[in-house]
Amino acid sequence: MFCDKEFILILIYLFIVSHVYSNERQFSTQKRLQYKNHVKQMFYHAYDSYLKYAYPYDELRPLTCDGYDTWGSYSLSLVDAIDTLAVLGNNTEFARVYTLIQNLDIERDINVSVFETNIRVIGGLLSAHLLAKRMNVSVNSTWPCTGPLLDLAVSLADKLLPAFDTETGIPYGTVNLVWGVPIGETNITCTAGGGTFLIEFGTLSRLTGDPKYERAALKALKGLWSKRSSINLVGNHINIQTGEWTAYDCTIGSGVDSYFEYLVKGAILFRQPELIYMMNEYIKAIDAYMSDGTGWFVYANYQQGRKTMPLFASLDAFYPGLLTLLGKLDRARETLYAYHTIWRKYGSMPEFYNLAQHDCAQGREGYPLRPEHIESIMYLSKATNDDTFLFMAADIFDAIESCCKTSCGYTSLKSVKDHHLDNRMESFFLAETIKYLYLIFDEDNFLHSNGEYATEHQTSLGSCFLDTGYVYNTEAHPIDIGSLDCCTSSFIDEKSLNKNEKNLLTQEQMRWLGNLLLNQDKEELSSILKRNYSLLTCSSLTFEQRFSLYGEILT
């Protein structure tokens, strides 16, 4: 039994806690500005440390204050960071780096990852190319259809194209920059490695007028789709020559993630509703076989649908953002809340977490400063204007700042359980993690454009509109949607495609509609056509109507 004095003190304490908690549900403008500035300082500490201790190597080692090469000696952190400089509004440094990376040496006898070279280097070059005018870099009269970084991206893509010469159209995982596919290169690649090219390759085709890049990327995407099981699931590794799955577990994350991402973002960027249809079919299967009903998704056999491993992977954390792009906000919120409990438990996110044992998977306890969880927070924050997501982002910033900061940048963790430091700062920390954090707190950033206001740009083909909205590649390199209409009056034209190829595209569209007629009832079909097909294809609509990147595509 409490005495009166103790009882009164407890009541006062509870009142203070509840009052503070209720006030904390709103993230003040001042607090948002403070975190925006904190994130900017985080970027410059990491970026300046890379320049001082690691450049021209690919990555910084923050504990030993030196650098080393990882993905091809491209000065990768510099290429990955240039559009983050644009996000922060640093015109001077952007212009310096824009000039510097024009001299990247891609004529070397080395083997490189097709996937990583595409998303990091080609993606970074294209984004910087398309942001050049905004950043007051001098461009010629034929920009964005020409430019030194576009030329470099084209040359590099041409070196990757031999990887796509396979029976299925799904590319090899490695090429040599001089000789092409190495002798003896494995025929096995992961699903994400085969299906993550459309944003970059499609952008190249739209800017140059050469359809070969987009064709290759679409063929790979559809090659994977054609190999799905009877219950609409895919494995996570495939033989690119035979089309046989060699790893039978389906997951939304590791080994598969960006394949799903590019179906949705490719549909938005290139107005291809067929890709949205594919993703919706996958989502039905994912919900049926992989969901545990509480926000988590586990591994399942791609043929039988039985659950195989109760694992959460940190790469799964992109999925709430993808659901947000599709307008599935309630499901996205539920899943993100579940994932954030892991962050709150450890102050970071392990690579793998066993949901049955409620512990990190053995040997996969590390946190390499990944961005996916932050990416999803950004999308949901923008879609809902719910301050809860700002508090989540603040959680993440505070943890990284206190646990991962060194005198020479920010470092990965070997284990989230004891926060023992590793010695690596991957380039995606500058390209993605910090960029998404900054965008969460900078609500007026130009990348949040919804097409309400745009900049008219004159080209030899007429006028087009820039700053209409942006789609991020899987390395968070933003592509200006409107810029893709600047260089080709019609992507399907007499010069690029012959009569049979034009008819093939029409047949594909008819097949897509035919499948809907066979599988959907009349009311549902009408709804899908109204909300999906016309929304993504009608050129007379404004960009704001055609493209909403924050939860309005299918609402």
Side-chain angles (χ1 to χ4, degrees):
M1 193 78 173
F2 293 113
C3 69
D4 290 344
K5 184 178 178 181
E6 291 172 328
F7 182 68
I8 291 170
L9 288 173
I10 290 172
L11 287 178
I12 293 172
Y13 173 75
L14 291 174
F15 172 78
I16 292 172
V17 170
S18 63
H19 182 68
V20 170
Y21 181 81
S22 63
N23 285 344
E24 281 293 288
R25 292 307 87 203
Q26 289 191 338
F27 206 92
S28 69
T29 301
Q30 181 182 4
K31 193 169 186 178
R32 186 194 288 264
L33 179 60
Q34 288 173 345
Y35 271 96
K36 173 183 167 181
N37 290 332
H38 290 336
V39 176
K40 180 181 288 189
Q41 292 167 7
M42 173 182 277
F43 172 81
Y44 283 114
H45 178 61
Y47 179 76
D48 292 344
S49 295
Y50 166 75
L51 291 179
K52 182 176 181 180
Y53 300 109
Y55 178 78
Y57 292 104
D58 281 340
E59 291 180 9
L60 169 69
R61 295 197 295 187
L63 297 186
T64 51
C65 299
D66 57 6
Y68 74 127
D69 285 330
T70 52
W71 296 112
S73 305
Y74 299 116
S75 299
L76 191 57
S77 290
L78 197 65
V79 178
D80 247 355
I82 183 172
D83 52 37
T84 308
L85 291 167
V87 172
L88 298 178
N90 191 335
N91 293 43
T92 303
E93 182 65 4
F94 180 96
R96 186 184 78 85
V97 176
Y98 180 90
T99 301
L100 203 59
I101 63 179
Q102 293 175 31
N103 299 314
L104 290 184
D105 183 8
I106 63 172
E107 301 296 335
R108 288 171 294 131
D109 185 4
I110 60 170
N111 295 342
V112 299
S113 164
V114 178
F115 171 81
E116 298 290 354
T117 300
N118 177 58
I119 67 169
R120 302 195 196 207
V121 186
I122 294 178
L125 292 172
L126 288 173
S127 181
H129 165 71
L130 291 173
L131 290 170
K133 189 171 187 289
R134 160 177 277 279
M135 298 305 292
N136 296 326
V137 171
S138 178
V139 296
N140 59 36
S141 61
T142 55
W143 180 93
C145 312
T146 62
L149 297 191
L150 177 60
D151 291 342
L152 189 58
V154 167
S155 298
L156 196 50
D158 285 340
K159 291 179 177 296
L160 301 187
L161 278 179
F164 291 79
D165 186 16
T166 66
E167 291 297 320
T168 62
I170 303 167
Y172 285 98
T174 302
V175 295
N176 183 284
L177 292 181
V178 174
W179 307 109
V181 178
I183 296 174
E185 173 64 13
T186 178
N187 290 336
I188 309 303
T189 194
C190 68
T191 305
T196 309
F197 295 91
L198 181 58
I199 291 177
E200 300 82 6
F201 277 34
T203 297
L204 281 173
S205 284
R206 302 303 172 105
L207 294 178
T208 65
D210 189 338
K212 66 183 179 183
Y213 309 105
E214 186 169 337
R215 282 180 185 156
L218 279 171
K219 186 176 180 181
L221 275 180
K222 294 178 181 180
L224 289 166
W225 168 254
S226 71
K227 302 303 179 183
R228 73 194 187 283
S229 69
S230 60
I231 59 172
N232 287 333
L233 291 178
V234 293
N236 61 65
H237 281 79
I238 193 169
N239 186 308
I240 59 175
Q241 299 295 358
T242 66
E244 296 178 358
W245 295 102
T246 59
Y248 307 120
D249 292 316
C250 184
T251 171
I252 61 171
S254 182
V256 180
D257 51 350
S258 51
Y259 165 54
F260 292 151
E261 181 184 358
Y262 274 40
L263 289 175
V264 175
K265 291 181 176 179
I268 298 168
L269 190 56
F270 303 112
R271 305 192 281 280
Q272 298 219 17
E274 181 185 9
L275 303 182
I276 288 284
Y277 169 77
M278 293 177 185
M279 190 62 223
N280 281 334
E281 292 301 297
Y282 283 133
I283 286 176
K284 292 175 188 175
I286 289 168
D287 286 345
Y289 300 107
M290 299 166 63
S291 172
D292 76 343
T294 65
W296 300 96
F297 297 90
V298 298
Y299 284 69
N301 181 275
Y302 89 104
Q303 284 182 318
Q304 302 162 356
R306 59 179 174 80
K307 294 179 174 63
T308 56
M309 291 185 289
L311 291 180
F312 160 78
S314 62
L315 290 174
D316 293 6
F318 89 102
Y319 198 63
L322 193 72
L323 293 174
T324 303
L325 287 174
L326 291 168
K328 302 177 186 294
L329 298 185
D330 290 341
R331 192 61 184 277
R333 187 190 295 265
E334 176 188 47
T335 301
L336 186 63
Y337 283 174
Y339 292 172
H340 199 63
T341 62
I342 303 295
W343 186 277
R344 295 285 292 182
K345 180 176 181 177
Y346 294 110
S348 49
M349 188 168 279
E351 287 288 74
F352 284 88
Y353 181 82
N354 191 304
L355 296 168
Q357 298 174 359
H358 304 289
D359 199 3
C360 301
Q362 188 173 3
R364 304 305 300 273
E365 303 95 343
Y367 169 61
L369 300 171
R370 286 203 186 278
E372 286 77 14
H373 185 50
I374 307 166
E375 176 186 9
S376 287
I377 291 172
M378 185 201 73
Y379 281 121
L380 265 169
S381 175
K382 187 66 177 177
T384 64
N385 291 317
D386 185 341
D387 284 4
T388 301
F389 301 111
L390 298 178
F391 284 99
M392 286 184 178
D395 278 347
I396 293 170
F397 171 84
D398 291 340
I400 294 174
E401 186 72 8
S402 62
C403 300
C404 303
K405 188 175 183 178
T406 76
S407 61
C408 299
Y410 293 83
T411 190
S412 303
L413 299 179
K414 284 187 177 179
S415 173
V416 301
K417 301 174 78 170
D418 59 15
H419 287 188
H420 187 68
L421 299 181
D422 204 345
N423 190 24
R424 187 175 185 186
M425 188 181 83
E426 285 213 48
S427 67
F428 58 63
F429 182 66
L430 296 169
E432 301 184 76
T433 306
I434 295 179
K435 182 185 290 146
Y436 286 134
L437 268 176
Y438 187 80
L439 289 170
I440 291 168
F441 297 113
D442 185 15
E443 58 186 336
D444 297 322
N445 196 276
F446 73 92
L447 286 182
H448 293 318
S449 170
N450 64 3
E452 183 178 359
Y453 302 101
T455 304
E456 187 172 10
H457 178 68
Q458 294 293 331
T459 74
S460 59
L461 296 169
S463 65
C464 59
F465 292 89
L466 306 177
D467 301 317
T468 56
Y470 294 83
V471 169
Y472 302 91
N473 87 334
T474 197
E475 191 77 3
H477 295 306
I479 301 297
D480 185 343
I481 297 169
S483 68
L484 304 190
D485 290 331
C486 290
C487 302
T488 49
S489 57
S490 173
F491 185 64
I492 306 169
D493 59 25
E494 298 294 338
K495 295 179 181 178
S496 63
L497 297 176
N498 62 41
K499 183 177 181 181
N500 290 333
E501 288 171 322
K502 284 190 290 184
N503 289 338
L504 177 62
L505 288 174
T506 302
Q507 290 167 7
E508 288 176 350
Q509 292 172 349
M510 292 300 293
R511 189 182 305 116
W512 178 75
L513 291 171
N515 286 336
L516 289 177
L517 287 167
L518 289 172
N519 299 319
Q520 309 286 343
D521 60 43
K522 185 176 180 180
E523 183 176 345
E524 185 176 2
L525 174 62
S526 175
S527 175
I528 289 174
L529 288 174
K530 180 180 178 181
R531 295 156 58 196
N532 191 7
Y533 187 76
S534 60
L535 179 66
L536 292 173
T537 58
C538 181
S539 59
S540 65
L541 296 177
T542 66
F543 277 97
E544 185 178 18
Q545 291 170 307
R546 276 195 284 165
F547 305 105
S548 175
L549 304 188
Y550 302 108
E552 298 177 7
I553 293 170
L554 295 179
T555 58

